[in-house]
Amino acid sequence: MISIIAGKHLAAAGVLGLNRRNVDFIMRLNPRRLYPRVDDKLITKQLALDAGMAVPELYGVISHQADVRRLSEITGERESFVIKPARGSGGDGIVVITGRSHRKRRSYRLASGMLISESELMHHISNIVSGQYSLSGSPDSTLIEYCVKFDPMFAEVSYQGVPDIRVIVYRGYPIMAMVRLPTRSSDGKANLHRGAVGAGIDISSGETLTGVLGDDVVEDHPDTGALIAGLYIPHWDFILQSAARGLEVTGLGYLGVDIVIDRDRGPLILEMNARPGLNIQIANCSGLSSRLNRVDEIFDPKADAARRAEVCRQEFPAQRQTALPLDMEH
Amino acid sequence: MTRRYVYIISALLAGISLATFIYKWQVLGFPVTRDQQQPVWTIETSIRFEAGPGSIKVNLQIPTLTPGFRTLREFNVSKGYGFSLNYVSGGREAQWAVRRTGGRQTLYYRRVVYEDPASEQIDTTPPFPPPPVINEPLRTAVEVIVADVRDRSADTASFTTELLRRFNDPSPGSNIELLLADANTSARFVETATIVLAAARIPARLIRGVILQDQQRRVDLTPWLEVHDGDRWRYFNPNTGAEELPDRYLIWWRGNQPLVRVEGGSNVEVNFAVQKNFLDSMSIAERRAQVEGSLLVDFSLFSLPIQTQAVYSVLLMIPIGALIMVVMRNIIGIDAFGTFMPVLIALSFRETRLLWGIVLFTLLVTLGLSIRFLLERLRLLLVPRLGAVLIVVVILMLVISVVSHKLGLETGLSVALFPMVIIVMTIERMSVVWEERGAGDAIRAGLGSLLVAAVAYLAMGMDWLEHLIFAFPELLLFVLAVVLLLGRYTGYRLTELRRFRPIVGD
């Protein structure tokens, strides 16, 4: 009985549940044959490049065990780079190298400051290639790419890592966004389920709202103590437009687009996701359903990405309260 | 659109499933619970006689149409006799024949029947009987009685009742006294009534049968009156005129023929004995369906060899486990390793029982996980590492079995039934999650798997459910329909109610 009432409250707040997301949006709008475009980061990167969008530069790909020893050849003299499985999910298997040890040769410094030897790193790559992190366990490729340097505006609200911006794009309309801030417990990674803080973003202005840690609402960053709300995301208009173009790039009607802001190169498309998570609703203190419905009403097949982003800025201003008003008697 | 197809397909599946289920349950009488026992009666007719010189032929009247009863089987016991079953005018006859024999002979005919209220007498409508040839003065007496009774009755039933009332009157009229002068046995009494009914052009028969009681060594046959009202046969108590049949009255034969005719023998004695037993309803239902030639039973699981049946009684529960899995995932929203790993774990719990199953599983996974962390340091390639964990798991199972056996804990032996490959994959997944997302997530998902496995075990272990699915495998289509419907369930998961609470803000 209690659960039925709670369910009604959620529905009234327009909260989208996993089952409905899967059945009504992912299965309906995301044809399975298009999945490789987002599940394989190598393909995503190429598609984004073809569309003229900025992505982190790819240094090299390791697809076979025999190539693992080419690691140092690929990285060359670069101080920092990122190693990630092409078909990993949820940030599993990603290693961020931020520097090299000066005392010990052939050893790298992780984002956390710890050192990792080259052989350990090669073992990790070998695991990736074997398919340890790929969804089906099938052999995978390892991407070695540019390590993003975060924009100084995020220095206060992230711990040893690069925050990224997740935008939910429905039929080409960027309807909801959040910024994911790494924490000590997330090991410098920007994945919510690892303990990163998610902060909702006002679509109309690009201003951050309150954050969510786990399933709880937080006001300030757990490590730095800085207030999360009230930050203005730079290049917001460009970010929204890039996200909106995700529809044309991938063909997927329900999409999560991950964008990072590099200090030097500006917003870069990091990856895209055909099954974006639902915690973004908690970060925004707002349900997705009402916005999804609104897009169905205003959908215009002729609108281009810029137009769609513009429409969303008008349509979805954040509501400045932490809770929706609810009549408890119903 | 897709949603509508799912609804239609589910409705079709559920319809087929339930229709077959109800047919088998209600019409074929398949029991819905195990150990439903139904009484069956064995009626044994023994015929004893002195064999005379020359060939011997014995004819015994045996049941044909038995309202209220169905026959499970019939057989005869006789040494050296040829046996045949023949249809004759009054019903069926068993015939024994032998060319030469001597001394005291005993022949047995046994029939095993069970009660079935649905069994009705389906018989052809008899022609109007010819007027009986009766000599005077009885002829006048019969005519007077018929005319009298006809005046005081409206139809066949009331005619019969009125006639029997007069027959049983302590001071009947002179006509009836005259008529009943010869009726020294109750069978003769009923036969006389059939003559009067024949004179009134009403088809009537003397029937004789056995009233079945728990155990009787010598049973007397009870005569009864059967009258056809132009539509169906009706039964009248010859002693009261009431239209009824005694409880558990098995009609043995109809008509005036003697029960047994022995040619070439003398000193004939016939005895009926009744024995009540209980039989599994399942075998009765199967037997009945065989008699009716129902395809549903020809293809039933009970036609498989017993060992295969045992395998299937387990396998058929897997869909129930799958249903539990779907509910736990999509309705409740519990995290677990592997889609159907918990169901397979639940299967192995069948042998270990729940508590031991959880203890052994936890032990195995914990030990395997620690070995896996040691192997991680050796930096092995993925597949060799999985192979190594598999070998270690097998060795651990061996050790657990031997140690628990030494300690006298026999349940420990059943650890061998755990699906080791599944456990290896669980260990691998769990260690990856452990490293990637921390011990909390790994342990939470591990406990989730155990919880789902325990619930699946409890559901799959329900004895009545196992019997139900085994006797009515078509119910799996219903499970399929439910799973298809759940496949389009778009409501919230129970865990989401808690998860999204901050949005509603209470």
Side-chain angles (χ1 to χ4, degrees):
Chain A
M1 206 52 216
I2 293 161
S3 60
I4 293 170
I5 294 167
K8 273 187 181 163
H9 286 174
L10 287 191
V15 173
L16 182 65
L18 264 180
N19 289 325
R20 181 146 178 265
R21 179 200 73 173
N22 292 344
V23 169
D24 283 352
F25 298 101
I26 293 184
M27 282 188 223
R28 185 161 61 88
L29 294 166
N30 295 355
R32 176 130 337 239
R33 66 188 159 81
L34 299 180
Y35 273 35
R37 293 188 183 180
V38 290
D39 283 349
D40 191 326
K41 295 188 179 75
L42 202 54
I43 300 178
T44 315
K45 201 182 269 288
Q46 195 54 51
L47 286 171
L49 278 175
D50 292 348
M53 298 162 86
V55 297
E57 183 192 344
L58 182 68
Y59 297 150
V61 180
I62 294 175
S63 307
H64 304 285
Q65 295 292 352
D67 292 342
V68 173
R69 68 175 93 92
R70 283 182 49 231
L71 174 66
S72 55
E73 192 184 314
I74 291 169
T75 57
E77 291 302 308
R78 292 188 176 93
E79 282 288 309
S80 66
F81 53 89
V82 176
I83 289 172
K84 56 170 74 165
R87 277 175 283 162
S89 72
D92 289 353
I94 295 179
V95 172
V96 180
I97 302 295
T98 54
R100 295 186 186 232
S101 167
H102 300 296
R103 267 164 284 158
K104 267 203 262 177
R105 257 176 54 79
R106 288 183 166 274
S107 110
Y108 300 90
R109 190 174 297 281
L110 295 171
S112 60
M114 279 172 45
L115 287 180
I116 182 172
S117 72
E118 188 165 53
S119 70
E120 279 174 309
L121 203 55
M122 277 158 66
H123 174 61
H124 180 73
I125 294 172
S126 149
N127 275 344
I128 294 176
V129 173
S130 306
Q132 179 173 328
Y133 301 99
S134 77
L135 284 173
S136 54
S138 54
D140 198 0
S141 304
T142 310
L143 270 56
I144 298 161
E145 63 178 28
Y146 171 71
C147 176
V148 175
K149 293 167 186 63
F150 66 82
D151 193 287
M153 72 152 290
F154 289 120
E156 288 288 290
V157 288
S158 55
Y159 182 88
Q160 287 179 350
V162 183
D164 73 3
I165 294 155
R166 155 67 59 89
V167 186
I168 300 287
V169 183
Y170 174 58
R171 301 175 78 182
Y173 288 79
I175 55 172
M176 199 176 272
M178 68 171 165
V179 58
R180 297 183 293 190
L181 308 165
T183 62
R184 185 198 297 270
S185 61
S186 81
D187 195 20
K189 290 175 184 169
N191 293 94
L192 294 192
H193 61 78
R194 288 156 178 272
V197 172
I201 302 176
D202 178 4
I203 288 279
S204 61
S205 63
E207 185 189 355
T208 55
L209 310 168
T210 51
V212 57
L213 180 58
D215 289 337
D216 303 316
V217 176
V218 291
E219 297 285 330
D220 37 40
H221 193 275
D223 302 318
T224 65
L227 208 60
I228 290 168
L231 299 169
Y232 280 89
I233 308 284
H235 315 288
W236 183 240
D237 213 24
F238 183 75
I239 288 172
L240 273 189
Q241 283 180 31
S242 304
R245 288 177 66 188
L247 171 70
E248 280 84 3
V249 172
T250 62
L252 299 172
Y254 186 82
L255 188 67
V257 180
D258 293 352
I259 294 169
V260 284
I261 303 176
D262 187 72
R263 191 171 59 202
D264 309 322
R265 308 180 191 196
L268 304 174
I269 301 284
L270 200 58
E271 61 182 89
M272 303 201 199
N273 198 321
R275 313 166 196 81
L278 295 173
N279 266 6
I280 194 168
Q281 300 179 105
I282 306 175
N284 280 278
C285 249
S286 169
L288 274 167
S289 283
S290 41
R291 298 194 185 186
L292 292 164
N293 293 339
R294 183 67 188 141
V295 168
D296 284 333
E297 286 166 22
I298 59 172
F299 182 73
D300 174 8
K302 290 190 287 292
D304 64 359
R307 172 72 194 140
R308 295 195 300 259
E310 182 54 37
V311 166
C312 286
R313 290 190 75 152
Q314 291 160 12
E315 287 286 341
F316 306 123
Q319 282 147 358
R320 299 289 165 151
Q321 64 253 28
T322 48
L324 290 173
L326 266 179
D327 189 351
M328 295 306 284
E329 295 194 5
H330 292 286
Chain B
M1 204 54 211
T2 327
R3 189 173 293 266
R4 192 186 304 157
Y5 283 135
V6 171
Y7 288 157
I8 291 172
I9 292 170
S10 299
L12 273 178
L13 288 174
I16 292 170
S17 156
L18 291 180
T20 320
F21 167 68
I22 289 169
Y23 174 72
K24 280 169 78 174
W25 174 32
Q26 290 293 340
V27 180
L28 296 182
F30 275 57
V32 288
T33 53
R34 202 196 289 278
D35 299 323
Q36 242 179 27
Q37 299 252 309
Q38 214 173 320
V40 293
W41 278 274
T42 307
I43 302 106
E44 184 182 85
T45 317
S46 55
I47 307 163
R48 290 191 177 79
F49 58 92
E50 295 289 344
S55 61
I56 293 167
K57 203 157 92 178
V58 179
N59 286 301
L60 173 73
Q61 300 283 341
I62 56 170
T64 318
L65 299 166
T66 52
F69 289 94
R70 282 180 196 272
T71 301
L72 210 52
R73 54 180 172 266
E74 58 182 343
F75 46 90
N76 80 96
V77 182
S78 56
K79 208 171 163 188
Y81 283 80
F83 180 78
S84 61
L85 290 167
N86 309 310
Y87 280 89
V88 293
S89 61
R92 281 198 322 159
E93 262 187 8
Q95 188 180 69
W96 288 268
V98 70
R99 182 143 320 260
R100 180 167 300 161
T101 186
R104 188 92 187 141
Q105 301 289 307
T106 310
L107 301 175
Y108 294 100
Y109 169 81
R110 275 193 204 121
R111 193 179 181 93
V112 185
V113 298
Y114 60 92
E115 276 184 276
D116 181 2
S119 162
E120 283 170 15
Q121 178 168 355
I122 304 151
D123 204 351
T124 50
T125 304
F128 288 117
V133 183
I134 312 170
N135 296 326
E136 290 293 357
L138 288 179
R139 183 183 171 136
T140 318
V142 167
E143 278 168 6
V144 170
I145 294 168
V146 168
D148 253 17
V149 174
R150 185 168 282 149
D151 281 349
R152 289 163 192 278
S153 63
D155 55 7
T156 311
S158 51
F159 185 97
T160 312
T161 308
E162 176 63 19
L163 178 69
L164 290 173
R165 193 191 62 74
R166 286 170 180 239
F167 268 35
N168 287 305
D169 197 327
S171 53
S174 55
N175 287 323
I176 289 178
E177 262 178 14
L178 182 64
L179 208 58
L180 291 175
D182 281 349
N184 43 10
T185 64
S186 47
R188 277 291 301 160
F189 180 84
V190 178
E191 208 181 327
T192 312
T194 63
I195 293 169
V196 178
L197 286 162
R201 310 303 306 274
I202 296 172
R205 291 191 297 213
L206 159 65
I207 56 177
R208 273 166 282 191
V210 183
I211 296 175
L212 302 176
Q213 278 157 20
D214 284 4
Q215 191 167 18
Q216 295 157 284
R217 294 188 52 78
R218 293 185 167 275
V219 187
D220 290 324
L221 291 168
T222 311
W224 218 255
L225 179 63
E226 195 180 48
V227 173
H228 201 276
D229 66 355
D231 185 33
R232 63 189 179 89
W233 287 101
R234 303 168 82 142
Y235 308 95
F236 291 90
N237 186 338
N239 301 319
T240 63
E243 186 180 351
E244 61 181 1
L245 260 187
D247 279 347
R248 302 208 191 102
Y249 180 74
L250 177 70
I251 297 174
W252 198 263
W253 92 104
R254 300 175 166 81
N256 305 332
Q257 297 95 328
L259 174 63
V260 70
R261 295 195 313 279
V262 180
E263 289 172 31
S266 53
N267 287 336
V268 181
E269 271 177 52
V270 184
N271 183 45
F272 282 90
V274 173
Q275 173 76 45
K276 183 186 186 181
N277 298 97
F278 283 92
L279 206 64
D280 190 358
S281 310
M282 200 65 230
S283 26
I284 295 178
E286 268 175 72
R287 172 72 197 143
R288 174 195 308 187
Q290 269 173 25
V291 171
E292 292 179 4
S294 176
L295 278 176
L296 282 173
V297 175
D298 278 355
F299 290 96
S300 109
L301 289 164
F302 291 96
S303 59
L304 295 174
I306 295 291
Q307 280 173 316
T308 321
Q309 285 191 25
V311 172
Y312 270 101
S313 71
V314 176
L315 287 190
L316 288 183
M317 293 313 282
I318 291 182
I320 301 294
L323 177 66
I324 297 287
M325 194 66 219
V326 168
V327 170
M328 293 299 246
R329 268 287 169 84
N330 287 65
I331 307 284
I332 300 178
I334 291 175
D335 262 348
F337 287 119
T339 312
F340 289 112
M341 187 278 271
V343 177
L344 295 175
I345 299 296
L347 271 187
S348 47
F349 282 0
R350 289 173 68 93
E351 292 301 322
T352 56
R353 300 289 132 203
L354 191 56
L355 189 65
W356 269 102
I358 291 175
V359 169
L360 286 175
F361 179 79
T362 315
L363 188 65
L364 210 51
V365 170
T366 313
L367 289 176
L369 210 53
S370 28
I371 302 284
R372 165 70 175 73
F373 283 131
L374 288 179
L375 288 175
E376 177 67 23
R377 296 197 182 171
L378 301 181
R379 290 189 206 140
L380 305 175
L381 292 174
L382 176 68
V383 179
R385 187 176 65 222
L386 285 178
V389 175
L390 177 60
I391 293 167
V392 168
V393 164
V394 171
I395 294 171
L396 284 174
M397 286 163 86
L398 194 70
V399 170
I400 291 176
S401 285
V402 172
V403 168
S404 66
H405 182 64
K406 289 283 176 214
L407 294 176
L409 299 168
E410 293 304 315
T411 11
L413 296 177
S414 45
V415 74
L417 292 156
F418 276 121
M420 48 192 112
V421 173
I422 296 291
I423 287 195
V424 170
M425 295 315 289
T426 309
I427 290 170
E428 177 67 19
R429 275 300 302 157
M430 199 160 168
S431 76
V432 169
V433 172
W434 193 296
E435 277 183 12
E436 293 284 327
R437 307 190 184 169
D441 271 16
I443 291 171
R444 196 175 309 128
L447 288 179
S449 307
L450 261 186
L451 177 67
V452 177
V455 173
Y457 162 78
L458 292 176
M460 290 158 74
M462 285 191 283
D463 199 44
W464 62 271
L465 192 61
E466 190 175 324
H467 168 79
L468 202 64
I469 299 281
F470 192 73
F472 304 95
E474 60 274 8
L475 289 178
L476 291 185
L477 291 181
F478 188 78
V479 176
L480 179 61
V482 173
V483 169
L484 288 183
L485 279 183
L486 288 178
R488 298 291 302 186
Y489 169 73
T490 57
Y492 298 110
R493 300 176 182 181
L494 272 181
T495 47
E496 282 178 341
L497 299 182
R498 223 178 80 82
R499 176 183 172 197
F500 291 126
R501 197 184 292 161
I503 301 179
V504 199
D506 62 351

